[in-house]
Amino acid sequence: MDIRKPNILGDYLRHKDINCYLDYLARRYSRFVTVFPIGTSFEGRSIKAIKIDLNKGSRKRERQWVFIEAGTHGREWITISTALFCIYQLTEKCFRNVDILKQIGFIIVPVVNADGYEYTHETNVSWRKNRRPIPNCRYVGTDCNRNYDFQWEGGLSRLGKSTFQGEVPFSEPETRAIRNVLKRFSPNIKFFLSFHSYAQSLMYPWGYSKDLPPSWEKLQQLAECGRTAIKKATGRSYRCGSISKLTHRTVHGSIADYAYGVEKIPFVIVMELPSSKFGFRPPNTEIESIVTESWTGIKAMCRRVIKNCQ
Ligand SMILES: [Zn+2]
């Protein structure tokens, strides 16, 4: 069975079409692509990961991974397009990226918060959280990027806020799904990349503290490597720094701090995509230029991580 080729460069795909595309890639490129569910959202949507591994089936040596997640915040549509473009480049255009794929495998979750994303298409374009109702009150949704069990206690927030952290750490099916897949593949995950929008910055831990982590210089160098590649490609200027420094606040229970602090992934970057001009959902005509430019920076960072890990 085949599917009509989705227009990932000219349109924002709905969740079911994204899952169809992933399943198509798994069939078309079964030699090196696997798609598997990592969890189910509150409304019953399958949260899928795609694994791209040129060493699939070989027992040569243990694989090292880049892990990419997007669509944690429902309204950040361009993050999902960017993850899909990475998937497209690493599968349908894999011959262009063989140098990277020979060295490292990829696990990509293009839509973490499927319910929140669909809700922004159907009902409220500026929705950020997931869609699980909070028991015994009138509020719906938790901010999945505040719900991880690392320095979670410091982030107390009100039920109705768009950054509500949840009743307890890992109260949400989406964050449990990411936690479980990370546990399964770390300690071989070398680079964790989280897409958000639209602050146009490359950030690293910590979020919860103004202090810098021990390896901050390596993280800063990695971020600057992404920034330089993008600047060279299009002239766009990204900012680099720690999450707390660039956002001028502390953020508790985020996935980036969890990946770095608990799973001990050595390279963790939050890539806040462009742009202040277009906001969370740039017009369809802008998708191609943003995702192409972003891919340039992502590739440069992957190459640097590979070099660092050799
Ligand atoms: Zn976000």
Side-chain angles (χ1 to χ4, degrees):
M1 193 182 80
D2 215 326
I3 60 158
R4 189 173 55 84
K5 219 168 171 51
N7 184 13
I8 61 171
L9 290 175
D11 208 352
Y12 292 104
L13 303 191
R14 298 297 289 267
H15 180 254
K16 66 172 174 20
D17 297 325
I18 292 169
N19 276 358
C20 274
Y21 179 53
L22 298 182
D23 291 338
Y24 157 77
L25 292 173
R27 284 194 302 274
R28 173 79 179 76
Y29 302 100
S30 58
R31 197 177 60 73
F32 65 101
V33 173
T34 317
V35 171
F36 55 99
I38 60 165
T40 306
S41 71
F42 175 78
E43 292 175 352
R45 294 185 175 90
S46 180
I47 306 164
K48 292 192 180 196
I50 184 167
K51 191 167 81 166
I52 304 162
D53 176 15
L54 283 194
N55 288 0
K56 185 180 171 185
S58 129
R59 287 163 193 257
K60 261 192 284 179
R61 64 183 169 94
E62 253 193 315
R63 200 55 164 146
Q64 300 190 325
W65 302 101
V66 175
F67 192 104
I68 299 177
E69 56 110 27
T72 284
H73 291 141
R75 64 192 175 191
E76 296 171 11
W77 290 12
I78 194 66
T79 69
I80 295 170
S81 300
T82 304
L84 290 173
F85 190 67
C86 294
I87 293 168
Y88 167 77
Q89 283 290 329
L90 294 165
T91 56
E92 303 199 55
K93 299 292 174 196
C94 64
F95 54 88
R96 289 182 189 164
N97 302 296
V98 173
D99 65 312
I100 293 173
L101 281 163
K102 272 186 178 163
Q103 302 292 332
I104 207 157
F106 285 78
I107 299 161
I108 303 177
V109 182
V111 193
V112 173
N113 174 14
D115 294 350
Y117 179 56
E118 281 299 301
Y119 191 70
T120 61
H121 279 275
E122 300 273 352
T123 309
N124 176 355
V125 293
S126 49
W127 190 257
R128 168 183 167 101
K129 299 185 279 189
N130 70 356
R131 291 296 303 161
R132 189 181 68 86
I134 309 302
N136 308 316
C137 73
R138 64 192 167 89
Y139 296 110
V140 171
T142 290
D143 183 343
C144 293
N145 203 30
R146 299 289 184 277
N147 190 239
Y148 287 84
D149 194 7
F150 183 79
Q151 298 288 336
W152 176 87
E153 297 77 8
L156 292 175
S157 55
R158 285 197 316 275
L159 282 161
K161 278 184 75 177
S162 67
T163 52
F164 177 57
Q165 61 174 358
E167 307 128 279
V168 289
F170 293 122
S171 52
E172 306 309 308
E174 295 83 3
T175 55
R176 290 195 297 271
I178 294 292
R179 173 195 66 188
N180 295 347
V181 72
L182 284 185
K183 195 169 284 174
R184 187 172 145 201
F185 288 96
S186 71
N188 293 322
I189 301 172
K190 297 301 168 192
F191 183 20
F192 182 91
L193 185 54
S194 178
F195 293 154
H196 287 266
S197 66
Y198 50 85
Q200 214 169 288
S201 54
L202 289 154
M203 306 188 290
Y204 49 83
W206 299 115
Y208 82 95
S209 164
K210 298 271 180 202
D211 294 340
L212 290 167
S215 67
W216 76 271
E217 281 171 311
K218 281 189 165 179
L219 295 167
Q220 173 74 22
Q221 285 161 6
L222 179 61
E224 284 175 7
C225 161
R227 170 170 72 186
T228 304
I230 290 170
K231 182 85 185 167
K232 204 173 146 198
T234 63
R236 194 191 297 279
S237 297
Y238 266 73
R239 295 181 308 145
C240 299
S242 79
I243 298 165
S244 58
K245 185 178 172 218
L246 290 195
T247 60
H248 304 291
R249 62 195 163 131
T250 49
V251 171
H252 290 254
S254 79
I255 179 63
D257 281 6
Y258 180 82
Y260 185 81
V262 176
E263 291 297 345
K264 310 290 182 203
I265 297 171
F267 293 100
V268 173
I269 294 283
V270 176
M271 187 169 183
E272 282 266 355
L273 298 163
S275 67
S276 50
K277 185 173 171 197
F278 295 120
F280 297 116
R281 293 167 292 110
N284 290 6
T285 48
E286 300 295 325
I287 297 173
E288 181 166 1
S289 64
I290 292 176
V291 301
T292 309
E293 169 195 285
S294 304
W295 174 241
T296 308
I298 294 158
K299 261 195 307 190
M301 290 190 286
C302 288
R303 290 201 173 101
R304 186 176 179 96
V305 167
I306 291 166
K307 234 173 149 183
N308 261 287
C309 293
Q310 272 169 347

